Amino acid sequence: MKKKLDVEKMTYAVLAIACFFIFWWFITTFTPAKETTPGPVEVIQLLFTSFFEPIGSHVITGHLLVSLRRVLVGFSVATVLGIVLGVAMGASKWAEAIFKPIFELLRPIPPIAWISLVILFFGIGEVSKYILCGIGAFTNVTLNAYTGAQNVDPELVGCARMLGTSERDIFFRVVLPSCTPQIFAGMQVALSTSWMAVLAAEMVGAQEGCGWMIQRGSDTLNITLVMVGMIVIGCVGMLLAAVMRVIERRLCAWNIMES
Amino acid sequence: MEHHGELTPIISLRHVGKTYMSVHRSNEVVRDVSLDVAENEFVVLFGPGQCGKTTLLNLIAGLQLPTAGEVYVDGKKVEAPGPDRGVVYQTTALFPFCTVMGNVEFGPKSRGVDKKTRRERAQYFIDLVGLQGFENSYPNRLSGGMRQRVGIARAYANDPKVMLMDEPFGHLDAQTRYMMEAELEKLWQKEKRTVVFVTNNSEEAVYLADRILILTNTPTHVKEEVRVDLPRPRQYSDPAFLAIRRRIEELCDDTL
Ligand SMILES: Nc1ncnc2c1ncn2[C@@H]1O[C@H](COP(=O)(O)OP(=O)(O)OP(=O)(O)O)[C@@H](O)[C@H]1O
Ligand SMILES: [Mg+2]
């Protein structure tokens, strides 16, 4: 029954993507847009050739790896810091009183707004890029860890106390596991935010990366290149989200209800 | 060993009172309760809904502190939660992120018992409550009755001096409830412990108790105590059983 439903869903997904490409092809072949906009055939051709003909300094996989490294470093550091800060704010009234106002103040500022300041302080090297990729992820993870830690069932904590569990163990064996599903929800959003921020991070002073490719394309009016960059970012973003879901299923198996 | 009587009591409440204070009003829930529970005695606290049964149990557990009087368990004044008292909650309060085994061995693990010993011990109680084969299941896959068994095994595996049970079968359907009552009694016969059991079901009270304490509405105090000397396991339809049931229901009704 479930298998059948999955197959059905897959069929719809493939059909929807096919329709999108046909629509794109139609627009760029039969309407005036064809003067300016490259069609799917051109874009896919460039995508293929870019695997062995370098764009700038790298072939496309090189750019992809560079961007992935930036995103993963920024995301990982941001996640660790976010979990620490968020759980601290949720578990301790003091940490909440001290950090919450600053956090609430900084939270609405989008990562792009930070570009100049980050470059001013950290230069145009890799560190700036890690930071720009990490900012959005940090707010997401912090916020989720915070709500997660706030909503830990007090009965579970009382129960652990009755069993003779030390406060330190209660933190690691009750509070932290209780918030993992929420933290994971935050990490999923955070990973896509980081991946989206790669464009901003590579806008200034970068010589490589997927964001740089798009930037270079729009500087040289090479719309085909812009589109190749977009497709790569889209596909890899989708893959990253899928990987996160697999990890979540592993780590939060206890929280998944099967119908 | 004597069942109850002259031995020094293991639980002892002396003029215990509890008043919840809030900004707007104070709510006196427990008033001047004094009671003793002997070692290995099965005492049932029987009272109407919202009368303060959970509060009284939490005072013994140390999860709340009395505003008057003192609570002693095993000669020591109760001032905080501790592993000498095991609690079984109505809502089960199992750790959802731990398997059945993880839940049952949670207490011993917290107290640094080595893995082999605590596993054996946990397994013993898992078998005793009839959950063999479910060691690696998570609580969200278990039925209500099974969860309550895990809760009981978890409390037992920590080897507490006294067991505090707050309407553990309150959420179960009638059939499962009968089954659980019978199993709890068997377990208690096999692994004798002092039990304080809260309920507002008279049938359950008479089936399980050595002694029933009847509580009044708030501010609650002990109105009467009724000994149940029927041989175990008891028969629900036995005339003597029904007589005691009627008696405690009347006593409880009068307090309304
Ligand atoms: N933490 C608390 N703070 C303030 N008031 C409380 C608190 N816990 C209980 N009360 C009040 O004390 C009274 C008795 O509550 P308690 O839960 O002890 O009764 P109960 O007999 O266990 O009820 P039930 O039959 O629903 O289990 C209620 O009026 C409740 O509002
Ligand atoms: Mg209650």
Side-chain angles (χ1 to χ4, degrees), chain B residues 207-232:
Chain B
Y207 185 79
L208 292 170
D210 288 329
R211 189 155 59 107
I212 302 170
L213 301 177
I214 290 142
L215 302 175
T216 65
N217 270 319
T218 51
T220 197
H221 56 272
V222 181
K223 187 190 185 199
E224 234 346 306
E225 70 167 69
V226 174
R227 256 181 214 295
V228 186
D229 282 325
L230 306 174
R232 296 171 186 268

Side-chain angles (χ1 to χ4, degrees), chain B residues 50 52-55 90 166-167 198:
Chain B
Q50 285 297 298
K53 302 181 293 294
T54 299
T55 302
Q90 181 174 21
D166 188 3
E167 303 191 50
V198 162

Side-chain angles (χ1 to χ4, degrees), chain A residues 21 38 72 87 146 150 256:
Chain A
F21 273 93
L72 291 182
V87 173
Y146 173 55
Q150 265 185 322
I256 294 162

Side-chain angles (χ1 to χ4, degrees), chain A residues 66-223:
Chain A
V66 169
S67 291
L68 267 178
R69 189 191 66 221
R70 288 171 178 157
V71 168
L72 291 182
V73 170
F75 167 78
S76 312
V77 175
T79 297
V80 172
L81 293 179
I83 291 175
V84 172
L85 179 65
V87 173
M89 289 201 309
S92 141
K93 292 282 157 242
W94 284 107
E96 188 179 19
I98 296 169
F99 294 113
K100 199 179 169 204
I102 310 181
F103 180 72
E104 288 294 334
L105 191 72
L106 298 181
R107 185 163 75 91
I109 303 172
I112 303 183
W114 289 100
I115 292 181
S116 328
L117 271 183
V118 169
I119 288 174
L120 198 61
F121 280 99
F122 299 97
I124 53 169
E126 287 299 291
V127 178
S128 293
K129 293 172 180 84
Y130 298 151
I131 293 176
L132 288 171
C133 284
I135 289 175
F138 174 71
T139 44
N140 271 311
V141 174
T142 309
L143 209 62
N144 275 270
Y146 173 55
T147 15
Q150 265 185 322
N151 295 331
V152 174
D153 184 352
E155 213 169 39
L156 290 187
V157 175
C159 188
R161 289 220 172 93
M162 286 308 302
L163 290 169
T165 314
S166 66
E167 292 303 309
R168 186 178 150 273
D169 270 13
I170 287 180
F171 181 80
F172 285 107
R173 293 178 60 207
V174 181
V175 176
L176 219 47
S178 291
C179 11
T180 40
Q182 186 98 36
I183 290 176
F184 254 94
M187 282 168 68
Q188 288 197 354
V189 181
L191 188 56
S192 356
T193 320
S194 284
W195 186 240
M196 286 196 273
V198 79
L199 181 62
E202 291 173 349
M203 242 154 48
V204 187
Q207 300 302 324
E208 48 192 2
C210 296
W212 170 83
M213 259 168 51
I214 292 182
Q215 195 62 38
R216 156 90 171 245
S218 72
D219 286 350
T220 59
L221 288 180
N222 185 349
I223 308 298

